[in-house]
Amino acid sequence: MRARAITHATPAESIGERVRATGKRMTVQRRLVLEALQQAKHHTTAEEIASRIRRQYPQIDPSTVYRNLEALEELGLVTHTHFEDRVTRWHLADAHRHGHLICRSCGAELEVPMSLLEPLAAKLRAKHGFVADLAHSAVVGVCSACASVSSR
Amino acid sequence: MRARAITHATPAESIGERVRATGKRMTVQRRLVLEALQQAKHHTTAEEIASRIRRQYPQIDPSTVYRNLEALEELGLVTHTHFEDRVTRWHLADAHRHGHLICRSCGAELEVPMSLLEPLAAKLRAKHGFVADLAHSAVVGVCSACASVSSR
DNA sequence: TTACCTGCAAACTGTTTGCCGCTGT
DNA sequence: ACAGCGGCAAACAGTTTGCAGGTAA
């Protein structure tokens, strides 16, 4: 058995196959984008991905990162979410899905299990036939620490 | 009793008072921004506000609109929400609050009563002490029409 | 060999900022 | 009178696009 540089839920080989199966190619840059996403574990920004890649591949261009993220998202391998700023966060599609709570006062990020958000999704589906993706945008509010300070 | 140009829940006079009470001023441009927000009823963008004002006051500058929206938000007279694009939506703070559902397939916008979202907010408050503002960001997903098409 | 993909440079959108003269209070 | 405010122009961040040469399959 061949040694693997990457030990992850989805082996690099099958990702390569999925990419090639659609007529797309597995380039060095595309692999590096995928590796950067795996190493980050949680959500990252395109800029973070670019600068991480730049360490071993300095000529990487931001536009290449963006184009790859878009291509990989089309293949269903990558998804993105929105926080409170203007920056898109990216992660592997098979990564552990969860909701995000963002404190508008201190910027703290909390993660909550999807099971907590699911009842609302079920209600929206039942009442409006709307299939909500509650992990797509962070929930904005005030965290417990900031709330207790401001209520004094 | 004096006739009012604006008939709205919050009379223009008291808005002017609230503005002046904090050392800020009620300028022509600021009044026009407020009027544009009232006329739009629902969420609008800064650019929409600017172009609406431009009809009767052509020299208005986008930066003036932004600065006014920011100032009025500080006073609690105006709030903003985020949809799926990169554009901020603005509305009067006393406007009817509601949640937004945005279809990522056809772009349709649905409004839902806050009462539907409230149970989740209550849960987040109870479990995490997090005071969620569920009207701040639209809920992204797939509307019933698009969902039924794509599931065939 | 032929799409697909890359790096580079330039454009683009929504928004912010510095400056300086004007104006509401 | 004087701090707040407006218009203008320029800067800004994040992202997208056109191009021409390079490379995976």
Side-chain angles (χ1 to χ4, degrees):
Chain A
M1 190 190 270
R2 195 152 46 92
R4 278 180 191 166
I6 299 157
T7 54
H8 200 70
T10 310
E13 289 87 302
S14 74
I15 288 185
E17 283 159 25
R18 280 184 70 176
V19 169
R20 278 183 284 267
T22 57
K24 296 193 189 291
R25 291 164 190 178
M26 185 49 81
T27 62
V28 177
Q29 295 90 334
R30 186 157 293 169
R31 191 186 332 277
L32 287 168
V33 167
L34 284 163
E35 281 179 21
L37 284 165
Q38 284 168 243
Q39 283 163 25
K41 290 290 184 206
H42 286 307
H43 41 76
T44 358
T45 66
E47 175 48 39
E48 272 172 20
I49 293 169
S51 66
R52 192 184 286 261
I53 294 175
R54 218 173 279 127
R55 298 210 279 260
Q56 50 175 133
Y57 194 88
Q59 64 268 46
I60 191 81
D61 191 84
S63 66
T64 301
V65 174
Y66 282 109
R67 284 195 265 232
N68 273 306
L69 289 169
E70 193 187 345
L72 293 167
E73 187 167 51
E74 266 171 34
L75 294 180
L77 294 170
V78 160
T79 51
H80 72 266
T81 69
H82 298 290
F83 277 33
E84 186 50 7
D85 53 20
R86 199 164 287 102
V87 188
T88 306
R89 317 288 161 135
W90 300 87
H91 46 85
L92 293 179
D94 65 346
H96 168 63
R97 273 176 53 77
H98 54 258
H100 292 279
L101 311 182
I102 308 263
C103 177
R104 62 157 49 114
S105 168
C106 70
E109 302 173 10
L110 283 87
E111 295 187 356
V112 294
M114 286 308 290
S115 58
L116 218 132
L117 308 177
E118 186 44 44
L120 173 56
K123 223 182 320 181
L124 293 173
R125 207 154 45 232
K127 286 222 176 182
H128 300 272
F130 187 88
V131 185
D133 177 7
L134 290 172
H136 188 70
S137 302
V139 172
V140 177
V142 181
C143 75
S144 54
C146 292
S148 64
V149 168
S150 63
S151 66
R152 266 178 226 151
Chain B
M1 193 190 268
R2 197 151 46 92
R4 280 180 189 166
I6 299 157
T7 53
H8 201 67
T10 310
E13 289 86 300
S14 75
I15 288 187
E17 282 159 26
R18 281 184 70 176
V19 169
R20 279 183 283 266
T22 59
K24 296 192 188 292
R25 291 165 190 178
M26 184 50 79
T27 62
V28 177
Q29 295 89 334
R30 186 156 291 168
R31 192 187 329 278
L32 287 168
V33 168
L34 284 163
E35 280 178 21
L37 284 165
Q38 284 168 242
Q39 283 163 26
K41 288 292 184 205
H42 287 307
H43 42 76
T44 358
T45 65
E47 175 48 38
E48 273 172 19
I49 293 170
S51 66
R52 190 184 288 261
I53 293 175
R54 218 173 280 127
R55 297 211 281 260
Q56 50 175 132
Y57 193 88
Q59 66 268 45
I60 192 82
D61 191 83
S63 66
T64 301
V65 174
Y66 283 110
R67 283 197 264 232
N68 272 305
L69 288 169
E70 194 187 345
L72 293 167
E73 187 166 51
E74 268 171 34
L75 294 181
L77 296 170
V78 160
T79 52
H80 72 267
T81 70
H82 298 292
F83 277 32
E84 187 49 7
D85 52 20
R86 200 163 287 101
V87 189
T88 306
R89 317 288 162 135
W90 300 87
H91 47 83
L92 293 179
D94 65 344
H96 169 61
R97 284 187 88 247
H98 53 259
H100 291 280
L101 311 182
I102 309 262
C103 178
R104 61 158 49 113
S105 168
C106 70
E109 302 173 10
L110 284 87
E111 295 187 356
V112 294
M114 287 308 290
S115 58
L116 218 129
L117 308 177
E118 185 44 44
L120 172 57
K123 224 182 322 182
L124 293 173
R125 206 154 44 231
K127 286 222 176 180
H128 300 271
F130 188 87
V131 185
D133 177 7
L134 290 173
H136 188 70
S137 302
V139 172
V140 176
V142 181
C143 75
S144 54
C146 292
S148 64
V149 169
S150 63
S151 66
R152 264 177 227 152

